[in-house]
Every structure is written in C-alpha cells, then in structure tokens.
Amino acid sequence: MTGSVGLARVVEPPGVLPQAAWRLDARPEIAADEVRIRVERLNLDAASFRQLSGKHGGDGAAVRAEVLEIIGTRGKMHNPVTGSGGMLIGVVDEVGPASPLGLEPGDRVATLVSLTLTPLAITDRLAGWDGSSEQVPAAGHAILFGRSVAAVLPDDLPPELALAVFDVCGAPALTDRVARSYPAPVTVAVLGGAGKSGSLALAAAKRAGARTAAVVVSDQERAALHPTGLADRIAVADARDPVAVAEALGEPATVTVVCVDVPGCEHGAILSTAPGGTVIFFSMATSFAAAALGAEGLAADVTMLVGNGYVPGHADFAVDLLRRVPAVRALFEARLAGH
Amino acid sequence: MTGSVGLARVVEPPGVLPQAAWRLDARPEIAADEVRIRVERLNLDAASFRQLSGKHGGDGAAVRAEVLEIIGTRGKMHNPVTGSGGMLIGVVDEVGPASPLGLEPGDRVATLVSLTLTPLAITDRLAGWDGSSEQVPAAGHAILFGRSVAAVLPDDLPPELALAVFDVCGAPALTDRVARSYPAPVTVAVLGGAGKSGSLALAAAKRAGARTAAVVVSDQERAALHPTGLADRIAVADARDPVAVAEALGEPATVTVVCVDVPGCEHGAILSTAPGGTVIFFSMATSFAAAALGAEGLAADVTMLVGNGYVPGHADFAVDLLRRVPAVRALFEARLAGH
C-alpha cells in the first residue's frame, strides 16, 4: 500500500509523505499504478496567489518567475509560505497498467488532490500567463499516484463551473451519508447555507429526505437563498454567536453542517445539535480544541466529524446535484459571475 | 434549553457561553436546575499551574495571590494566559428541584466540566495551600448548571486514582461505542497505547471483542505495556512518522485511536486505518486542517471523529474498566507514583 501514496516520488527528506516533502521527483516516466497528465491549466489556491502577488506588489512577471522557481525547485506547486497549492486541469496522457483510478488516455480531468502533493513539471515557462490571476495557462506534465483522485470534466458544464463544484464536493456527499444514517424524521441545519459548500449540502440533505434549515449572515444572503427553496427555514445570525445561532434555529437539528469559513463557529454548531446528533465541520477555520472542549463543557452527546474532503463518488454526486437542482446551479453561476 | 447551560450566570460580556465569558456570577443561591457544591480541593490544569509558577519564579505566596485574584475577578478559575482551568472535588450541598444530574446532598463528587466555565467563590483565602503544587486545598462553593457533568467519587478507590481516570474517561467510552458499531472482526489500533487514555482505550476495545494493537514511542513503554496483555500487538514507532506507523502496524485497523499528545500524528493515523474505518482523535494537539487535508490527499475514505470528552455514562464506564482490569489499574498507579 505504501507505494501507491507516492513514496517513491519523494526525494527530500526521504520517508515522508509527498505533501510533507520538500522536493518531489517529477520525472515523466510512470510506475505501474501511476497516471501522467498533460497539463493545460493550474488553478492556484487563493491564499497562495494572494501571498505571491502581495509580496511582489502585483508585478506579474515577478509572480510568474517565483511560481516557476517553486515548481522547478520542489517538483510541485507548493507555496512554502502559505503551505497551500491548488489544483490543475489537463488531459490524461498515459495510464499505468495497475492504476485503480479508472481513467483513459484522452480524458479531460481535474485533479482533486492538492498541488502540494502532485509531481509537476512545466515546459513552456508559463508563457501564456501574465501573473495577474489565479488561473494559470500552462504546458507540462503532472503525475497521479495509485491513491489519488481525479474527476473527468463533464461535457455539459463549463470547466469553471465544474471546478467550483469539485472544490467543495466532499460536503454534499458526506452530508448525504450522515443524513441517511439516521431514521426519519431528520433535520439538517447548515451554518453558511448560502455559500458553495453550504448550498450543495442543503440540496443533498433535501434529496436525502431531510427537513432543512440554514443560518446565513445577512438579509442579502437570505434573499439569495430564499427563492431557491433549498432551505425550509432561513435564519439570519452570526454563526460565531452560539446563543444567537441556537435561538435562531429554534429546535436542535439531527445533523448540523458548518460551512462558514471564519473561526469560532464550533459552540453554536454544538448547541444547535440534538443529543445523539452529528456535527460535520467543513470549515478549515475549525479549531479542534474548541470543538472538543466545547462539547465536553456543554455535556453534549454529539458526534463531531472532521469534514473529510474525500468520499468515494463525491465529484459525480455533486455534479449530479448541480444538474438536477437548477437553484444550486443558479447560485454557483451567480458566484462565478462575481455576485 | 439555553438557561441550563448557565447563561444566567454570565456577567460580562452578556450573551456568550460561560466558558467564553470574562466574568461569571458565583452567587451561592441556586436556580431550579443548578447544584451547589461545597469545595474541598481544586486540581489546577497542569499548563495553568506551570505558567503561574513560572511567572512568579516558584514563589508560592505570589502564585496563591494570583489564583485568588483570578477567582475573585472572574468568578471562576480561568487562567487568562493559558485559557485553561482544571477540575474540583467537593461535597454536594444543595440540589435544585429541577436538576437533571441525579446528585444528592452529601455526595462527594468531582466536576468533569472545566473550571473555566464553573462559577466559583473561595472563602478561606486558600490558607491551606503553599502555592507549590497543582493540588489546592480550598474552602468555598461552586455551581453546576443543568447541563453539566459531575461524577460521584467511588468509595473503593483513592481520590487521586479516580480523578486520573475521570480525566480521560471519554476515550474508553467512545472507543467502545465506535468499536461496537462495526461487525466483527474489528481491530483497534491505539497510538500512544501505554498512556492513561491509551491504556483505557485498549481495555475498552478488548472488552468490546476487538483485536488490539498499540504503537508506543520507546522500548521502555513497550516493556510497561506488554505484561498487561491489553495489546495483542505492540509496535515501537514515532507516531509523527506516518510511513513508520503504517509499516509498524502492518495491516490497517478498523478503528485507530490517537492518544499521543504531540502535534503531527494525523497522517499516520489516517494511513493506518482501513477504508470505511474510523479515526478517533483524542489528542488536543490534533490539527483540524492536517486531518482534513491529509485524508483528502491520501484519498482515504475514513470517518474522522473529534474526540468528544463527554459520552453519557463515561465516568462509570471507565471506573468499571479500572476495577475489572487489574493491569490498567497497575499502569495508572505506576503513573501516579511518578514512574
């Protein structure tokens, strides 16, 4: 099993996982369970691009030079300051005979594992990129390991829309799994229900037969979410205020999903969840200690899940939701259009 | 429901939960669902005592004065630097008619919720304490809310032993619950199996019918754990080294329990867990982001639980394990004796 997580690609320091490595071997020759992708575009993580652009005062040529330097030095696009990467789009070039990913040469795919662990080499000096946006046209190759995740881009959706869905596709899949693990009637409350992961989680909960409630931060978000019908109830409250959240929701939920990317939402989520219920934390701003100590301090018998971004079939599940629920698609398109 | 978490005791700032409050109202008069405890001893959190003692260069009188100052100012023993508290021992003085805690006047109890959220007043100026240890003889009163947790001290165990067990009693109870949720055969791997929470988790897993494996950090720990028979297999490895942990364990476990209180154990735990299995993180050093991104990067379909320190019946469950498994008791007694 160890080979398939990419240990053979780790150059320095030896013996760590690819994400923890300083440098990966990005040679194009693939092992039996690897896949080589012909790269078309990198999507840099927003935090990484912001740091690079800020450091260079918006000088696109300097940003481009540093991205090339990082990839050349590390064999992956792993920003050493932010620790973040991004994802990429490309076309499958060669599939090793033992690859379990189910890809075929010619498939146009997005990688759903971070660039921080993806061997990458660039051959065009990023000549088509002016360094002023996170979207980086690029030529070169990337390697997927046996244990990796890539999704074939759907023919019927613009790539930007598909990528936006892939980016949060763990949330609806895990919400579906957890909601269905309880006997009816199930209520699912989503903190941050008007966002990308939040709206998909609401749609998944509805399809799983649950009653849904959303907490949003403003009347504007309420106005955006209300006509979609995704939430049976919508409350406006600050998700960091536990008492306000619990009072706004009224009765506690069977499952509470945290999709608000600000620190301090743990106690509100715990207080909003019924005894025996489950809190799913999808926000990267979640504090482990605040969740653990909060539940203990509230004597709350709730199951608390670290939102795993990987659930088998998650990308197809999320794209299917987008196709079947026009309201979700409309929310995503509005966000992509900059609203 | 909001009243029972102690909101009426919050003085400043209004509207937050007691743990987040700067100041609580520690008046002795109890509400209908509250309980008043006559305090006998405070057990300061180790991190809190270390900070106070270090700040005052080991001057016990100065440490005592600052603890009195904190309790007097905040209405609770909530160290403003470390953010931590501790627990207390006392005798139940008065029980409100609507208290759900099942306590009787005269019960000798330990509070299992943190002192950071427990209204507390001291009446003896801590005269019996020299400020040189975490164990603080004290007179005064403390308040338990409706939603709170206290355990009656067992007659047959020394209080120090009971407290050491209560301190980690969430681990065996949750390990039991999760292990029993899988069909046999179940394997449970415990990272840090020779420690307090780790040995109780192993004992709980064994009693639940699981095969057990432990990862320990040294040959010395292996020698301490081996004769107990709690672990069917013991491997010596650095829990922060994912590849070493996975290789030491050999086959992946159904359930992996992390009881090692150092950062960086997330990826080893994930890599050691079989697809469909569960990782329970009990270490407060766990990084939420490392767990979430690690599972995604490894394409690991594992359920990851934030170890909730509260499971109904957890204190009785842990004490019962200690009584029935002499090897666990021996490990605890050796630790209390300073080995």
Side-chain angles (χ1 to χ4, degrees), chain A residues 242-243 246 265-275 279 281 290-302 304, chain B residues 1-7 10 16-20 100-101 112-114 116-118 145-149 308-312 314:
Chain A
V243 179
C265 301
E266 300 85 0
H267 294 185
I270 292 164
L271 208 55
S272 303
T273 306
V279 181
F281 291 106
L293 296 175
E296 187 174 324
L298 292 166
D301 180 23
V302 296
M304 295 185 286
Chain B
M1 186 176 84
T2 50
S4 61
V5 301
L7 292 180
V10 173
V16 305
L17 293 172
Q19 187 159 37
L101 300 182
L112 302 190
V113 290
S114 171
T116 60
L117 55 90
T118 304
F145 312 130
R147 267 175 86 158
S148 192
V149 199
N308 182 347
Y310 177 68
V311 176
H314 58 345

Side-chain angles (χ1 to χ4, degrees), chain B residues 104-197:
Chain B
E104 303 278 349
D107 283 346
R108 191 143 182 263
V109 298
T111 58
L112 302 190
V113 290
S114 171
L115 288 180
T116 60
L117 55 90
T118 304
L120 174 67
I122 297 297
T123 54
D124 70 343
R125 307 289 305 161
L126 303 179
W129 182 48
D130 65 4
S132 73
S133 126
E134 300 153 19
Q135 305 289 328
V136 185
H141 68 262
I143 305 295
L144 297 179
F145 312 130
R147 267 175 86 158
S148 192
V149 199
V152 177
L153 287 164
D155 292 334
D156 60 332
L157 298 179
E160 308 74 47
L161 185 56
L163 285 182
V165 172
F166 290 160
D167 193 34
V168 293
C169 64
L174 191 53
T175 301
D176 173 75
R177 183 189 277 185
V178 173
R180 289 182 194 273
S181 74
Y182 286 95
V186 172
T187 56
V188 174
V190 178
L191 309 190
K196 289 196 299 176
S197 57

Side-chain angles (χ1 to χ4, degrees), chain B residues 181-238:
Chain B
S181 74
Y182 286 95
V186 172
T187 56
V188 174
V190 178
L191 309 190
K196 289 196 299 176
S197 57
S199 58
L200 279 171
L202 284 170
K206 266 235 171 278
R207 190 153 83 176
R211 280 186 57 79
T212 55
V215 173
V216 298
V217 73
S218 66
D219 288 330
Q220 191 186 350
E221 284 201 350
R222 182 212 286 265
L225 185 58
H226 183 263
T228 67
L230 293 173
D232 296 314
R233 293 185 51 239
I234 306 177
V236 177
D238 183 341

Side-chain angles (χ1 to χ4, degrees), chain A residues 1-2 5 7 15-17 19 112-113 117 147-149 177 241-243 247 267 271 281-284 286 288-289 291-312, chain B residues 1-2 5 7 15-17 19 112-113 117 147-149 177 241-243 247 267 271 281-284 286 288-289 291-312:
Chain A
M1 187 177 82
T2 50
V5 301
L7 292 180
V16 303
L17 293 173
Q19 187 160 37
L112 301 190
V113 290
L117 55 89
R147 268 176 85 159
S148 193
V149 199
R177 184 190 276 188
D241 182 338
V243 179
E247 286 180 352
H267 294 185
L271 208 55
F281 291 106
F282 268 109
S283 162
M284 280 299 158
T286 302
F288 182 88
L293 296 175
E296 187 174 324
L298 292 166
D301 180 23
V302 296
T303 297
M304 295 185 286
L305 297 181
V306 177
N308 183 346
Y310 176 69
V311 176
Chain B
M1 186 176 84
T2 50
V5 301
L7 292 180
V16 305
L17 293 172
Q19 187 159 37
L112 302 190
V113 290
L117 55 90
R147 267 175 86 158
S148 192
V149 199
R177 183 189 277 185
D241 182 338
V243 179
E247 286 179 352
H267 294 185
L271 207 55
F281 291 105
F282 269 109
S283 163
M284 280 298 158
T286 302
F288 182 88
L293 296 175
E296 187 175 324
L298 293 165
D301 180 24
V302 296
T303 298
M304 295 185 288
L305 296 182
V306 177
N308 182 347
Y310 177 68
V311 176

Side-chain angles (χ1 to χ4, degrees), chain A residues 77-150:
Chain A
M77 182 51 213
H78 187 166
N79 183 321
V81 176
T82 62
S84 58
M87 57 202 294
L88 63 81
I89 289 179
V91 174
V92 174
D93 208 16
E94 187 182 356
V95 178
S99 169
L101 300 183
L103 298 174
E104 302 277 350
D107 282 346
R108 189 140 184 266
V109 296
T111 59
L112 301 190
V113 290
S114 171
L115 288 180
T116 60
L117 55 89
T118 304
L120 175 66
I122 297 297
T123 53
D124 71 343
R125 307 288 306 161
L126 303 178
W129 183 46
D130 65 4
S132 73
S133 126
E134 299 153 20
Q135 306 287 329
V136 185
H141 69 264
I143 305 295
L144 297 179
F145 312 131
R147 268 176 85 159
S148 193
V149 199

